[in-house]
């Protein structure tokens, strides 16, 4: 997952600063410097980094952090708050028209992933919202772009409007007419990739906009793009007054700096992220959840939603309640692992607090580790599973023998368990103390 | 004389009689040049004296060009030291010091920008790979066009059997150029397409076989393993890896380009980069960072949408076109 590396970096910096008994001006500066490098390495726009650090500094000075009882902890929480507000605190959901088709116009640079994203979006509305969806092929320039959309349309069982390579403005009008005549709920228009400095093609988009008045114009941005992504977003926004952005290729290991920057520089919110090659791999974007993912706090809400889709709901509810209440033991951990195995997708692990180190490419390793843990846990007594604190040296030796592992393996398991438990405690106290990022207030809603 | 002065001197003399390729660089890099040079010139004009904030602003210019934090910081440090040593404090001269420091990095690593060397004994095999959407297929078409014009017999091997209509896209180019194409069926193992393609190329006296592969994110193990298999199949058929294995990089790529290069290098014996979409506004600073870290030279550069707009990377021309308006 894209954010993993920046998340690790932040955790590292936080750990360092928490470890210091005293916070002085000089080690605060050192920390801010490290944060600066972490953000720049993640391709966060230079101006945004500057603004971010200025804000953090100002708040730290304003609150007289250095004189407070627990200065490092306070500084960490200031950074967390600022990061959340940088990503744009609230969700900005897309609402569909009730009595007429909702029209989406997808725009962006060449190769950003418009066609694939259009098809994924079509699938999203068709499968998740049960809408009647029409795709429109307006890319008359790239060879076989139309064929690509037609093929993808077939894959997701969505109708595709094509009329060959005529003027895209005419195509758009005809697609709109078809959508109205045949009572489609959603029309998604895929356009050709273009440079924001290509006046001719930008005018074409302006004309399409004028003629068909789309409800949403979405910019597709490659998550791996660098500093220029912000300028691209600004230019497209100036020309077309965009309604939002979709970040594609978020399943790369890019650190998502563009996502952080675009919101601040254009005030455009990110609506969706593309997280894989399959047609289902489009997720709605929740800025607050993303902030906690970046900060290594995991993303419980998305986890629960995923789990609900794939595990039976009762178990999911129980699991989540336990996680939130912090009464979490090794049985629960094993239960969890089994469920994840059943999900067949370890990618879900990135959403769990305390496990940010496990990522897609380590899938197999993690699977093996799980197997190991399972073997170890099976060699424990029920008492040990419920109260892992009691597992000291002699018990460790026994368990190691029983499971055919060595003591280090047992320690590794216990460490992981403690880390997960700590994280959960932290989440619990955060949600109680009202310190949680906005949006987490609704945390309990899925499990009333 | 500094490197920058040397470069200006070298090109200014023949700037009037500019050949076609120089013009291509000039036109393609116009936007970047305007922005880069006007930023630097403005900075020099406005600054009354050089202080730490001046260097901070220089730093900003480099970072915004995607040169990357580490390299930027080291370039700025070098400039500061050099300015101290030479007791230089005039903004314009400081800018020149920075550009020299930058140029030194480019030249130190001696970008090895030679053309493709053709083999006499069998067809020359070029493998094209990269992440999704960087312009692999288009680059193949442009390479095909380039060498066809030089009288080579070219064929395409369309091994992107994953992306919808990727084969059709290359096929359309093949028809336009009248170049033979060996293609895979949907979802066919790309390695088997390539094996057949190489068979075809060898038995038909083809000079240059260009292999198109699916876009793959460099952090997906299974896709990188697939690429490793492709490499092994090529080795099996022609006895060596492809004669050239190019990683295609979108010029707008940020620091993630480093991860891309690293991962593809781990899988394949890459021989260079093709940098596409340099005619946008991105400054492609990442290629400097990649060259510094992996010594992977840029071999071709895409400066526009037309078939002839993919050209051999010429460092002098590139740098001169990029920097010539810095005062």
């Amino acid at each position: 997952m894209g954010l993993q590396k920046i998340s690790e970096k932040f955790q590292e910096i936080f750990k360092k600063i928490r470890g210091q008994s005293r916070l002085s001006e000089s080690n605060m500066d050192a920390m801010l410097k490290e944060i600066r490098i972490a953000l720049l390495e993640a391709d966060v726009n230079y101006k945004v980094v500057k603004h971010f650090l200025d804000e953090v500094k100002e708040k730290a000075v304003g609150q007289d952090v250095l004189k407070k009882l627990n200065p490092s902890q306070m500084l960490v929480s200031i950074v967390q708050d600022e990061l959340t507000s940088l990503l744009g605190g609230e969700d900005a959901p897309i609402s569909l028209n009730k009595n007429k088709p909702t029209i989406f116009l997808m725009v962006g640079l060449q190769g950003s992933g418009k066609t694939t994203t259009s098809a994924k979006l079509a699938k999203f509305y068709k499968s998740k919202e049960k809408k009647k969806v029409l795709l429109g092929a307006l890319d008359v320039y790239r060879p076989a772009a139309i064929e690509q959309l037609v093929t993808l349309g077939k894959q997701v069982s969505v109708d595709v409007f094509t009329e060959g390579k005529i003027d895209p403005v005419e195509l758009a009008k005809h697609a709109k007419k078809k959508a109205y005549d045949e009572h489609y709920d959603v029309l998604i228009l895929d356009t050709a990739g273009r440079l924001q400095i290509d006046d001719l093609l930008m005018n074409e988009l302006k004309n399409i906009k004028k003629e068909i008045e789309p409800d949403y114009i979405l910019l597709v941005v490659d998550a791996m793009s660098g500093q220029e992504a912000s300028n691209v977003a600004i230019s497209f926004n100036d020309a077309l007054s965009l309604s939002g952005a979709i970040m594609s290729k978020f399943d790369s290991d890019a650190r998502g700096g563009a996502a952080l920057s675009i919101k601040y520089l254009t005030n455009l919110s990110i609506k969706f992220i593309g997280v894989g090659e399959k047609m289902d791999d489009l997720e709605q974007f929740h800025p607050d959840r993303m902030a906690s993912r970046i900060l290594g706090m995991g993303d419980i809400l998305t986890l629960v939603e995923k789990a609900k889709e794939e595990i039976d709901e009762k178990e999911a509810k129980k699991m989540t309640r336990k996680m939130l209440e912090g009464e979490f033991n090794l049985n629960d951990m094993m239960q969890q692992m089994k469920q994840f195995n059943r999900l067949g997708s370890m990618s879900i692990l990135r959403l769990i607090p305390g496990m940010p180190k496990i990522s897609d490419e380590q899938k197999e390793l993690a699977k093996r580790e799980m197997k190991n843990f399972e073997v170890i846990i099976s060699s424990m007594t029920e008492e040990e599973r419920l109260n892992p604190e009691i597992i000291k040296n002699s018990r460790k030796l026994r368990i190691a023998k029983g499971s055919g592992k060595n003591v280090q393996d047992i320690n590794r398991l216990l460490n992981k368990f403690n880390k997960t438990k700590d994280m959960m405690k932290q989440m619990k106290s955060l949600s109680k103390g009202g310190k949680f990022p906005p949006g987490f207030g609704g945390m309990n809603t899925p499990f009333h | 004389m500094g490197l920058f002065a040397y470069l200006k001197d070298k090109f200014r003399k023949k700037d009037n009689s500019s050949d076609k390729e120089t013009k291509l660089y000039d036109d393609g890099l116009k936007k970047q040049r305007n922005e880069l040079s006007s930023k630097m010139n403005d900075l020099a004009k406005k600054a009354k004296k050089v202080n730490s904030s001046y260097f901070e602003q220089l730093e900003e210019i480099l970072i915004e060009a995607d040169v990357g934090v580490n390299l930027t910081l080291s370039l700025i440090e070098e400039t500061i030291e050099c300015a101290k040593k030479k007791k230089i404090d005039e903004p314009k001269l400081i800018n020149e010091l920075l550009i020299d420091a930058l140029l030194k990095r480019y030249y130190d690593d001696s970008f090895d920008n030679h053309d493709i060397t053709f083999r006499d004994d069998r067809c020359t095999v070029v493998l094209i790979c990269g992440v999704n959407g960087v312009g692999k297929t288009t680059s193949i078409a442009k390479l095909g066009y380039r060498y066809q014009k030089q009288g080579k017999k070219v064929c395409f091997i369309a091994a992107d059997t994953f992306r919808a209509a990727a084969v059709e896209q290359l096929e359309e180019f093949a028809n336009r150029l009248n170049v033979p194409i060996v293609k895979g069926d949907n979802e066919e193992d790309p390695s088997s397409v390539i094996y057949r393609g190489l068979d075809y190329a060898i038995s038909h006296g083809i000079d240059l076989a260009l292999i198109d592969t699916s876009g793959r994110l460099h952090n997906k193990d299974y896709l990188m393993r697939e690429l490793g298999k492709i490499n092994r199949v090529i080795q099996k058929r022609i006895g060596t890896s492809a004669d050239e294995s190019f990683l295609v990089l979108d010029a707008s790529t940020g620091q993630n380009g480093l991860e891309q290069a690293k991962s593809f290098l781990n899988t394949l014996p890459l021989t260079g980069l093709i940098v596409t979409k340099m005619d946008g506004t991105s400054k492609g600073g990442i290629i400097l960072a990649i060259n510094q870290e992996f010594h992977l030279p840029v071999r071709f550069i895409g400066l526009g949408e037309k078939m002839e707009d993919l050209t051999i990377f010429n460092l002098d021309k590139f740098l001169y076109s990029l920097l010539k308006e810095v005062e």
Side-chain angles (χ1 to χ4, degrees):
Chain A
M1 180 63 182
L3 298 170
Q4 188 175 323
K5 284 201 173 145
I6 188 169
S7 152
E8 277 170 22
K9 196 88 210 172
F10 266 107
Q11 289 187 60
E12 205 180 285
I13 298 171
F14 288 163
K15 205 170 148 193
K16 221 188 265 173
I17 204 84
R18 280 191 178 115
Q20 269 151 0
S21 56
R22 281 181 50 103
L23 191 68
S24 67
E25 208 156 317
S26 75
N27 59 19
M28 184 168 102
D29 277 349
M31 174 200 175
L32 292 179
K33 218 178 206 164
E34 278 187 51
I35 291 179
R36 175 171 182 267
I37 290 177
L39 292 172
L40 287 174
E41 276 179 347
D43 292 316
V44 178
N45 185 277
Y46 192 90
K47 294 184 195 87
V48 180
V49 174
K50 219 165 160 182
H51 161 86
F52 178 80
L53 291 175
D54 286 349
E55 289 286 300
V56 169
K57 234 187 228 163
E58 196 181 299
K59 292 224 163 105
V61 172
Q63 296 176 17
D64 235 345
V65 163
L66 295 179
K67 289 188 189 139
K68 293 280 161 64
L69 199 59
N70 194 349
S72 35
Q73 184 57 46
M74 274 191 73
L75 191 57
V76 170
S77 88
I78 290 175
V79 172
Q80 288 175 346
D81 289 349
E82 279 310 306
L83 198 61
T84 311
S85 84
L86 197 63
L87 274 167
E90 283 161 53
D91 286 6
I94 285 175
S95 58
L96 299 185
N97 297 329
K98 290 256 154 53
N99 303 314
K100 57 173 188 175
T102 305
I103 305 178
F104 291 85
L105 186 64
M106 312 290 280
V107 300
L109 298 180
Q110 288 94 341
S112 55
K114 286 171 298 304
T115 308
T116 306
T117 306
S118 296
K120 286 180 179 176
L121 193 62
K123 170 101 201 262
F124 176 86
Y125 281 113
K126 182 184 186 291
S127 309
K128 294 215 168 127
E129 312 233 331
K130 311 283 175 234
K131 299 294 178 196
K132 189 179 171 194
V133 183
L134 179 65
L135 280 161
L138 267 49
D139 183 354
V140 298
Y141 305 104
R142 181 166 58 98
I146 296 173
E147 287 87 334
Q148 187 184 354
L149 194 67
V150 169
T151 309
L152 292 175
K154 256 184 223 146
Q155 271 178 33
V156 300
S157 314
V158 161
D159 299 334
V160 181
F161 172 82
T162 61
E163 219 178 41
K165 297 185 174 180
I166 60 167
D167 178 15
V169 183
E170 286 304 307
L171 282 174
K173 282 201 280 194
H174 299 172
K176 180 179 177 178
K177 185 169 184 306
K178 180 180 165 80
Y180 270 80
D181 288 351
E182 297 174 27
H183 306 292
Y184 282 93
D185 301 308
V186 173
L187 169 63
I188 299 167
L189 297 171
D190 176 32
T191 66
R194 64 202 74 214
L195 287 168
Q196 80 279 16
I197 48 172
D198 186 333
D199 293 333
L200 195 73
L201 286 179
M202 288 307 281
N203 273 330
E204 178 192 288
L205 283 181
K206 284 182 198 165
N207 288 335
I208 293 175
K209 180 185 175 182
K210 205 170 79 194
E211 288 293 336
I212 62 161
E213 297 173 338
D215 299 276
Y216 293 98
I217 306 179
L218 298 176
L219 178 72
V220 181
V221 185
D222 186 327
M224 289 176 284
S225 49
Q227 293 283 326
E228 201 55 23
S230 308
N231 293 338
V232 171
I234 290 170
S235 302
F236 269 95
N237 196 29
D238 286 347
L240 297 165
S241 315
L242 301 171
S243 353
I246 297 183
M247 300 293 297
S248 62
K249 311 175 205 173
F250 226 79
D251 50 329
S252 67
D253 55 0
R255 305 183 198 181
L260 279 166
S261 311
I262 285 174
K263 171 73 193 179
Y264 172 72
L265 290 172
T266 60
N267 206 26
L268 288 173
S269 50
I270 292 158
K271 308 284 185 191
F272 291 94
I273 50 177
V275 294
E277 293 195 310
K278 291 194 299 297
M279 284 293 121
D280 304 314
D281 291 332
L282 187 75
E283 281 180 11
Q284 275 181 293
F285 182 81
H286 304 284
D288 46 350
R289 301 185 193 179
M290 196 57 64
S292 56
R293 242 193 249 185
I294 289 180
L295 294 167
M297 296 160 71
D299 179 355
I300 291 279
L301 273 191
T302 304
L303 169 68
V304 171
E305 279 168 14
K306 284 238 150 148
K308 269 175 89 171
E309 274 170 29
E310 317 214 18
I311 321 177
D312 91 87
E313 203 175 331
K314 234 163 121 188
E315 269 182 33
K317 271 186 188 171
K318 205 170 113 194
M319 178 177 89
T320 319
R321 192 172 345 105
K322 283 210 156 175
M323 285 168 99
L324 286 171
E325 284 169 4
E327 51 168 73
F328 182 72
N329 57 43
L330 281 169
N331 278 336
D332 298 322
M333 190 154 125
M334 191 153 100
Q335 180 75 15
Q336 242 187 44
M337 287 179 178
K338 279 187 182 155
Q339 277 171 352
F340 295 140
N341 263 333
R342 214 181 305 148
L343 286 178
S345 154
M346 298 275 303
S347 68
I348 205 164
L349 274 182
R350 68 185 147 81
L351 305 170
I352 303 176
M355 292 194 168
K357 286 220 161 109
I358 297 174
S359 69
D360 279 3
E361 70 263 32
Q362 289 168 309
K363 254 185 205 177
E364 282 164 52
L365 247 173
K367 231 179 200 160
R368 227 175 295 147
E369 189 177 45
M370 274 193 183
K371 199 81 210 157
N372 275 340
F373 285 179
E374 206 180 325
V375 172
I376 295 170
I377 293 175
S378 312
S379 301
M380 292 177 181
T381 65
E382 186 62 21
E383 194 191 1
E384 285 163 349
R385 292 181 205 168
L386 293 175
N387 306 301
E389 313 80 63
I390 64 169
I391 304 177
K392 299 282 186 287
N393 285 344
S394 66
R395 283 179 194 263
K396 279 181 194 167
L397 273 172
R398 194 206 76 239
I399 296 166
K401 260 189 197 152
S403 58
K405 305 280 167 196
N406 53 40
V407 175
Q408 282 101 303
D409 293 324
I410 319 288
N411 286 336
R412 201 172 320 128
L413 167 77
L414 291 174
N415 279 340
K416 184 144 265 175
F417 171 77
N418 286 330
K419 218 163 134 194
T420 313
K421 200 173 171 180
D422 277 355
M423 276 290 183
M424 283 169 187
K425 265 190 197 148
Q426 208 178 329
M427 304 213 66
K428 188 187 160 204
S429 66
L430 279 172
S431 62
K432 269 194 179 158
K435 277 299 285 175
F436 232 62
F440 267 87
M443 189 124 199
N444 293 323
T445 36
F447 359 96
H448 276 319
Chain B
M1 187 163 64
L3 276 168
F4 184 40
Y6 159 78
L7 205 61
K8 274 188 164 178
D9 197 51
K10 178 176 169 187
F11 279 94
R12 193 150 289 165
K13 277 178 201 148
K14 51 174 194 179
D15 207 20
N16 303 334
S17 62
S18 59
D19 59 296
K20 221 172 118 194
E21 204 186 46
T22 308
K23 193 174 172 321
L24 190 61
Y25 274 89
D26 259 11
D27 293 348
L29 299 172
K30 207 161 89 196
K31 293 276 169 193
Q32 293 95 313
R33 169 169 68 239
N34 289 344
E35 207 182 313
L36 211 70
S37 44
S38 70
K39 266 187 192 163
M40 288 190 98
N41 293 341
D42 282 357
L43 192 59
K45 255 180 237 155
K46 270 193 238 147
K48 292 194 182 69
K49 61 173 187 178
V50 174
N51 51 20
S52 66
S53 118
Y54 189 84
F55 284 108
E56 228 168 76
Q57 289 173 70
L58 280 180
E59 193 183 298
E60 179 175 341
I61 292 173
L62 290 180
I63 284 181
E64 286 195 330
D66 288 320
V67 170
V69 194
N70 288 329
L71 190 50
T72 297
L73 292 181
S74 98
L75 284 169
I76 295 288
E77 211 168 281
E78 200 178 311
T79 308
I80 293 176
E81 244 165 59
C82 188
K84 251 189 216 157
K85 226 189 313 177
K86 295 188 177 167
K87 300 206 164 52
I88 293 177
D89 58 359
E90 194 189 328
K92 235 180 85 178
L93 293 177
I94 296 277
N95 287 359
E96 224 162 277
L97 283 182
L98 176 68
I99 290 177
D100 266 353
L102 190 77
L103 293 183
K104 224 172 77 203
R105 302 295 172 117
Y106 271 105
Y107 284 103
D108 269 3
D109 263 289
S110 67
F111 270 77
D112 182 16
N113 33 47
H114 55 86
D115 200 343
I116 294 175
T117 318
F118 282 85
R119 297 181 67 112
D120 313 323
D121 54 337
R122 61 158 165 78
C123 85
T124 302
V125 178
V126 175
L127 179 66
I128 303 287
C129 61
V131 300
N132 314 65
V134 287
K136 286 175 294 304
T137 307
T138 310
S139 293
I140 286 201
K142 289 177 177 173
L143 283 175
Y145 172 84
R146 176 188 177 87
Y147 291 104
Q148 193 186 41
K149 261 183 51 184
Q150 292 179 10
K152 305 287 182 196
K153 269 177 88 176
V154 176
C155 88
F156 293 156
I157 302 174
D160 181 356
T161 50
F162 179 79
R163 200 197 75 199
V167 171
E168 285 84 341
Q169 186 182 351
L170 193 60
E171 201 170 14
E172 196 168 324
F173 281 124
N175 291 339
R176 279 190 213 168
L177 298 174
N178 200 15
V179 156
I181 178 169
V182 178
K183 50 189 187 180
D185 300 325
N186 235 354
E187 314 257 310
E188 183 180 347
D189 182 353
S191 297
S192 91
V193 186
I194 290 169
Y195 200 91
R196 274 197 286 122
L198 292 175
D199 268 351
Y200 173 90
I202 290 165
S203 61
H204 286 74
I206 297 287
D207 299 313
L208 177 65
L210 293 161
I211 305 172
D212 190 18
T213 61
S214 305
R216 65 194 76 232
L217 289 178
H218 52 287
N219 59 333
K220 309 256 169 187
D221 269 354
Y222 62 101
L223 292 179
M224 296 314 282
R225 277 202 299 271
E226 183 187 89
L227 191 61
K229 182 176 169 195
I230 286 174
N231 186 35
R232 286 193 300 279
V233 164
I234 295 174
Q235 283 170 347
K236 203 166 157 193
R237 188 62 191 85
I238 64 173
T240 63
S241 291
D243 302 296
E244 302 274 11
S245 301
F246 293 138
L247 174 67
V248 184
L249 196 76
D250 185 324
S252 67
T253 309
Q255 297 314 298
N256 187 253
L258 286 169
E259 308 290 332
Q260 292 175 27
K262 190 172 156 194
S263 174
F264 278 95
L265 263 172
N266 273 337
T267 312
L268 280 184
L270 291 181
T271 55
L273 297 173
I274 296 179
V275 179
T276 59
K277 310 182 201 174
M278 263 316 281
D279 53 326
T281 48
S282 302
K283 286 145 211 97
I286 186 63
I287 60 180
L288 183 54
I290 289 177
N291 194 50
Q292 280 276 299
E293 193 146 331
F294 303 108
H295 307 282
L296 196 58
V298 180
R299 298 283 297 277
F300 291 89
I301 175 171
L303 292 161
E305 291 198 311
K306 291 194 298 298
M307 277 293 158
E308 56 273 20
D309 291 344
L310 183 78
T311 184
I312 293 210
F313 182 74
N314 179 313
L315 181 60
D316 286 351
K317 282 180 183 167
F318 174 74
L319 292 172
Y320 178 66
S321 295
L322 203 57
L323 297 167
K324 71 175 181 184
E325 274 155 31
V326 177
E327 283 160 3

